[in-house]
Amino acid sequence: RTMEDTSAKLDEYKTQLAQVDELLALDPTNAEFMKLKSDLLEVMQLTQSLAATGAQSTTTAVASSDGLLSVGTLCEAVFGEAWYPATVLEAGADAYKVSFLGYNNEETVPLASVRPLSHKPSLDRAIVTEGLVCEALYVVDGQWHDVQVDSKTERGYMVTFTKFGNSEELPLAYLRLPADGSTSNVAGDGSGSPEAASADPTPVATATDDELVVAAPPPP
C-alpha cells in the first residue's frame, strides 16, 4: 500500500468517525455506535502503525559509505547532559557539525555525541496537522506529554506542551498517538499559543506538577 493509499484510507476513516460522532451526539448511550467508534479508532491506529513500519522517512538516520550519518539527516546530539534533536550539517573524520532544532545554532560535536533518532516515526504525516492533539517526547525528562501541534516546519513540527505551555520544535519521530489511540483537532480554539513559552528559559533541577523543567538552549 502506498502512502497515498494510506492517506486516502485514513481520510475515509476520519469521515466515518465524524458521522458516528454525530450519531452519538443524538444517542449517547447507543452501544452499537459506541462499539463502532471504538473499532474505527483501533483500525486508524493500526493503519498508521503499518504505514510507519513500511515507509522510509526523512527522519530515519541515513549512513554514508564510510558509516557516518549523511548530511541533512535528522539525529540527536548531546548538549549538556541531554540529547537534543538536530540535523547533520557536516560529517568529518572525528566530529559532526550539527544544527539543533528550535535553536538553529550550529555546533561541532564529537562523533560519539551524535546518534540516530532514538524513536522511529509512528504517525502518518497526513494526520499531523495544525491543531492535532497528541503526545510528544520532552527531551529534558525523557517522558511523553500531551501537546497540540501549532505548525509544520522545514525539519519537523512546532508543538505546545498542554500542561506546561512551552513550545518546542520536534521531529515527527517525537510525536505519537495517546495511549488510547484517540485523535482530535482543536485548531482555532486559541489554546496553547506559542506566546506562552518563555523567551529566555532557565534550567532548573527539579519540578513539581505545577512547575516546568525547561531545557537550557544551546548557546547562540
Side-chain angles (χ1 to χ4, degrees), residues 136-147:
L137 181 67
Y138 188 48
V139 297
V140 176
D141 62 11
Q143 301 297 313
W144 294 87
H145 299 277
D146 292 338
V147 298

Side-chain angles (χ1 to χ4, degrees), residues 7-122:
S7 297
K9 185 61 67 175
L10 283 170
D11 287 340
E12 179 182 339
Y13 292 150
K14 285 187 283 186
T15 299
Q16 294 174 358
L17 185 60
Q19 293 171 343
V20 174
D21 283 335
E22 290 177 359
L23 293 173
L24 280 171
L26 298 174
D27 188 1
T29 61
N30 188 299
E32 182 179 352
F33 295 158
M34 295 172 67
K35 176 65 164 57
L36 182 56
K37 179 175 181 177
S38 177
D39 290 344
L40 280 170
L41 290 173
E42 183 177 350
V43 75
M44 286 174 68
Q45 184 177 23
L46 178 60
T47 301
Q48 292 157 6
S49 298
L50 290 174
T53 300
Q56 292 294 328
S57 171
T58 57
T59 58
T60 302
V62 179
S64 58
S65 58
D66 55 9
L68 297 175
L69 297 180
S70 299
V71 172
T73 299
L74 282 172
C75 62
E76 294 174 347
V78 172
F79 177 77
E81 298 182 354
W83 292 86
Y84 290 81
T87 302
V88 175
L89 300 179
E90 297 178 9
D94 55 4
Y96 287 103
K97 186 175 183 180
V98 300
S99 172
F100 290 95
L101 269 69
Y103 305 108
N104 296 319
N105 62 304
E106 300 177 2
E107 296 287 337
T108 299
V109 294
L111 295 182
S113 295
V114 177
R115 69 185 185 189
L117 290 174
S118 54
H119 293 76
K120 293 183 179 180
S122 63

Side-chain angles (χ1 to χ4, degrees), residues 115-191:
R115 69 185 185 189
L117 290 174
S118 54
H119 293 76
K120 293 183 179 180
S122 63
L123 284 180
D124 189 330
R125 292 180 186 275
I127 72 166
V128 185
T129 57
E130 180 180 351
L132 177 71
V133 175
C134 58
E135 292 182 344
L137 181 67
Y138 188 48
V139 297
V140 176
D141 62 11
Q143 301 297 313
W144 294 87
H145 299 277
D146 292 338
V147 298
Q148 177 181 320
V149 176
D150 297 322
S151 62
K152 188 178 186 303
T153 67
E154 183 178 348
R155 299 188 289 179
Y157 300 87
M158 287 299 302
V159 304
T160 295
F161 284 84
T162 305
K163 184 175 182 179
F164 306 127
N166 66 308
S167 295
E168 301 282 347
E169 183 182 16
L170 301 176
L172 179 65
Y174 280 28
L175 305 180
R176 73 178 187 185
L177 288 178
D180 61 5
S182 62
T183 60
S184 61
N185 192 298
V186 293
D189 69 356
S191 64

